[in-house]
Amino acid sequence: MRQTGPTVEPGRPDREDATMPDSAREAELLDAERTLQAAQRAGDADALDQLLVDQLICVGPDGRTYTKQDDLTAHRERRSVVRELVEEELDLLVVGSTGVTFFLGRVAGTVDGAPFAARLRYTRTWIHDDPHGWRVLAAHISPV
């Protein structure tokens, strides 16, 4: 499901209105993705801690892998600061208790004190369970 811009979804080429969620679970995933983006902008490590599973593996734009603890530490120590995060496009897919979000947008800030600005694509795999709701299991970040 695309949240911005035109869309043609796999299996749904004739869908006219792609801005409304197909299900409550999709609506919850959309909310979780936007909550994650807000936590990134705010540098809110506590919120990120709730949104990421302990086993998280993320492939960064540099090709290296990072863990949940790597991410939380970078935010807590202000080594990773997101000053701008502008969503240009957001697609999502939900199958059962697994979801995937496809974010495209502009991100700017600092990493270890060095400024950066890039157009990035984030692909996040989410899992859902009743005690926690949606949480990120895996992520991949690529420059566009």
Side-chain angles (χ1 to χ4, degrees):
M1 173 168 95
R2 179 165 290 180
Q3 291 302 308
T4 56
T7 187
V8 175
E9 293 181 61
R12 294 192 202 167
D14 58 15
R15 184 167 173 203
E16 291 180 16
D17 181 75
T19 61
M20 296 301 295
D22 288 335
S23 69
R25 183 114 338 141
E26 285 181 347
E28 290 170 1
L29 179 56
L30 176 60
D31 184 57
E33 170 67 32
R34 297 266 167 77
T35 300
L36 179 71
Q37 291 178 30
Q40 289 175 313
R41 277 191 298 273
D44 187 342
D46 292 333
L48 291 169
D49 188 27
Q50 298 302 309
L51 290 162
L52 308 174
V53 300
D54 291 342
Q55 303 88 345
L56 172 81
I57 298 294
C58 176
V59 177
D62 59 359
R64 295 179 52 204
T65 58
Y66 298 91
T67 66
K68 175 181 178 175
Q69 282 306 359
D70 293 332
D71 192 45
L72 296 179
T73 299
H75 282 283
R76 285 191 176 113
E77 295 178 357
R78 306 292 291 161
R79 289 183 294 131
S80 176
V81 177
V82 176
R83 299 203 190 290
E84 177 186 45
L85 191 148
V86 178
E87 177 185 299
E88 296 176 13
E89 185 177 297
L90 180 63
D91 294 310
L92 62 87
L93 172 66
V94 173
V95 177
S97 61
T98 303
V100 182
T101 55
F102 305 92
F103 167 94
L104 174 64
R106 295 184 323 272
V107 183
T110 57
V111 174
D112 292 327
F116 78 92
R119 191 164 182 245
L120 299 173
R121 170 139 344 247
Y122 288 76
T123 302
R124 295 186 181 101
T125 302
W126 298 74
I127 56 172
H128 184 278
D129 63 36
D130 289 331
H132 302 101
W134 286 108
R135 296 183 301 156
V136 181
L137 173 66
H140 187 273
I141 307 164
S142 297
V144 178

